[in-house]
Amino acid sequence: MTYKNIYIFLLSISAISLSIFVYFYFSHSSISEVIISDTINEFIDQVDRIKVNNHKKLVVIDIDDTLLQAQGYLGTPTWFYTMVNKLRQKGASKSEAHEIMSKIDQIVQEQIDIKSIDESIISAIKSWQRKKTLVVGITSRSSEFINITDKQLQILQLDFDSNLLNCVKNNWPSINQGILHKGILYVKEGFNKGEIFATFFDILTNNCKVAIDLIAQADDQERYIKQISLVAENNNKNYVGIIYGKAISQRIFALTHANQELKELEKKLNLEIIPKKYEMVFNE
């Protein structure tokens, strides 16, 4: 073989190697996209547009301020976390402030009227489920809110439960970051959505052998989008998320009105909801 033939042969090998590399890279690289919008249809359209089999898509929907919201001032996440901060300013520890507000909020959520943020996401969830796409809910609500959440979802005529999740429930660790109930992940205090979702995804794909090629997530909080997109990245999965701002951008919040609604609820139920020790905090 002449030097010229050897040179041509080596060039051919290099070209083949490059072609294999390019194919491998582009066939294994993942889509990662985050939408910031008050319009949920941008997210819905993108989930539908991505060319992944429907049964290999996993859609993760936040509950409060993404799927549903209180109709009044009382019972919103804004009210809850504002009062947590006010209680801490008056001397309550972080855990005490959360415990006080959680007990109050359980009573509040049982009584208040709720509504969907946008009917489009309700329709999309039902459509995805008909197409055999797995849709799960996720929430920072504790497991004490399970019955309340079930009732609120019944009002919206939604059910996240799926036979695919039976295997996940059976393999759920006894020491965990939260609970999976009727297709909704409830985060345990001290943990975050990213941690419980990572556990869920590991069991779903490794223990239960469910193939997932796309993780799609809707949440109103950027930090939770970052947490779950990182799970997608670590598992080399396609990801599309939306930081959904409609509820927050359209809400006109007044703390005094919210706490006035709380006092009216106390009178209506003839029940002491606000602890005497911190009554003044709710009057400010």
Side-chain angles (χ1 to χ4, degrees), residues 32-71:
S32 184
E33 178 184 357
V34 174
I35 304 161
I36 303 173
S37 178
D38 293 351
T39 306
I40 197 66
N41 281 320
E42 292 184 32
F43 170 74
I44 296 167
D45 292 345
Q46 185 63 351
V47 173
D48 290 338
R49 193 159 39 236
I50 293 175
K51 293 183 179 179
V52 168
N53 289 335
N54 289 317
H55 67 276
K56 291 187 176 182
K57 294 178 179 179
L58 169 61
V59 183
V60 188
I61 306 291
D62 170 52
I63 302 298
D64 291 296
D65 280 353
T66 301
L67 184 62
L68 59 83
Q69 65 179 347
Q71 290 195 19

Side-chain angles (χ1 to χ4, degrees), residues 38 40-41 66-67 116-123 244 246:
D38 293 351
I40 197 66
N41 281 320
T66 301
L67 184 62
S116 65
I117 308 293
D118 193 313
E119 284 298 318
S120 296
I121 189 63
I122 307 293
S123 299
Y244 183 44
K246 181 177 180 179

Side-chain angles (χ1 to χ4, degrees), residues 206-222:
N206 292 321
N207 295 69
C208 303
K209 307 302 180 185
V210 176
I212 298 294
D213 288 338
L214 170 68
I215 298 171
Q217 178 196 5
D219 203 297
D220 63 298
Q221 297 294 317
E222 181 182 1

Side-chain angles (χ1 to χ4, degrees), residues 23 48 103 109 117 129 201 230 246:
Y23 169 78
D48 290 338
K103 287 180 179 178
Q109 294 297 331
I117 308 293
Q129 290 173 328
F201 191 76
L230 183 60
K246 181 177 180 179

